[in-house]
Amino acid sequence: MSGEAGGRTSLRRFAAGAAGSRSGMIRELVNGAVSGTLATAAMSTVMVAGEKAGLMRGQPPKHIVRGLLPGSERRPKKGEGVLGAVAHVGFGAASGALFGLLARKRRGRLPLGVGYALAIWVVSYAGWAPRLSALPPLARDEPGRQGVMAVGHVVYGATLAFLLNRLDPGESIAPAVPAETRQMASQGAAS
């Protein structure tokens, strides 16, 4: 009989652990989406500055939306600016959510975030964006736009990682502090 009770206890512990990991996964997705949204705002600042400096003509998200809407890819369309901004924030939030899940409980998120964002840039601007006829491939694009977009993606990745580190108190940019030291410090603060 005690084996049966022990089995139920183990099953309860397993179920509680699974529920905890599920809630942890949801937390990482939400933290990633929030961080991705704010990182997109930081990236957009770089993009607007690049356009104002004359390094690129128009915002890439607007060009991408223009390519998806009916009609000529070359002619402006009503609402493309707003749709481009909404699509950019949505893409940034979704990419942030995915990164939050992938980089879960990893140390050194900053270099991972920058690498992740640069991978998004390459896959987007050398892959699916030219296939939509929205933008030319990297090799044929304006050097100014690609420079701005590379810097913008570095800013996105660094901001994403920084914000995720801030939202996850178990992680930090600083070197790891052993659990025993943290426990002793918290007990000392409570006394």
Side-chain angles (χ1 to χ4, degrees):
M1 189 183 272
S2 66
E4 188 178 313
R8 275 189 253 144
T9 303
S10 296
L11 185 58
R12 284 188 191 124
R13 283 188 190 144
F14 173 77
S21 67
R22 192 175 22 225
S23 67
M25 181 186 299
I26 291 169
R27 185 181 64 249
E28 295 298 337
L29 285 168
V30 170
N31 286 351
V34 168
S35 298
T37 300
L38 295 172
T40 301
M43 176 184 181
S44 296
T45 302
V46 172
M47 293 165 57
V48 168
E51 184 178 20
K52 287 189 184 280
L55 296 172
M56 62 183 197
R57 291 175 278 154
Q59 295 295 318
K62 181 173 78 173
H63 291 291
I64 291 168
V65 166
R66 184 182 294 168
L68 292 171
L69 293 173
S72 170
E73 296 96 18
R74 306 270 183 236
R75 301 195 64 171
K77 298 176 180 129
K78 188 175 182 175
E80 68 184 18
V82 172
L83 287 173
V86 169
H88 192 228
V89 170
F91 188 83
S95 296
L98 179 61
F99 182 75
L101 195 57
L102 294 174
R104 187 176 186 189
K105 306 296 179 208
R106 300 237 165 125
R107 308 237 27 84
R109 281 188 184 148
L110 190 61
L112 286 174
V114 171
Y116 176 75
L118 287 172
I120 290 171
W121 172 60
V122 170
V123 168
S124 298
Y125 290 88
W128 62 265
R131 286 195 176 90
L132 293 174
S133 301
L135 295 166
L138 286 172
R140 292 192 326 224
D141 200 5
E142 306 166 17
R145 176 170 36 223
Q146 290 311 314
V148 169
M149 295 312 296
V151 170
H153 280 83
V154 167
V155 167
Y156 173 86
T159 304
L160 176 65
F162 174 78
L163 292 172
L164 272 172
N165 284 337
R166 298 288 298 178
L167 289 173
D168 184 357
E171 294 291 315
S172 99
I173 298 171
V177 176
E180 298 82 21
T181 305
R182 284 194 310 267
Q183 186 177 20
M184 289 181 352
S186 68
Q187 288 172 349
S191 318

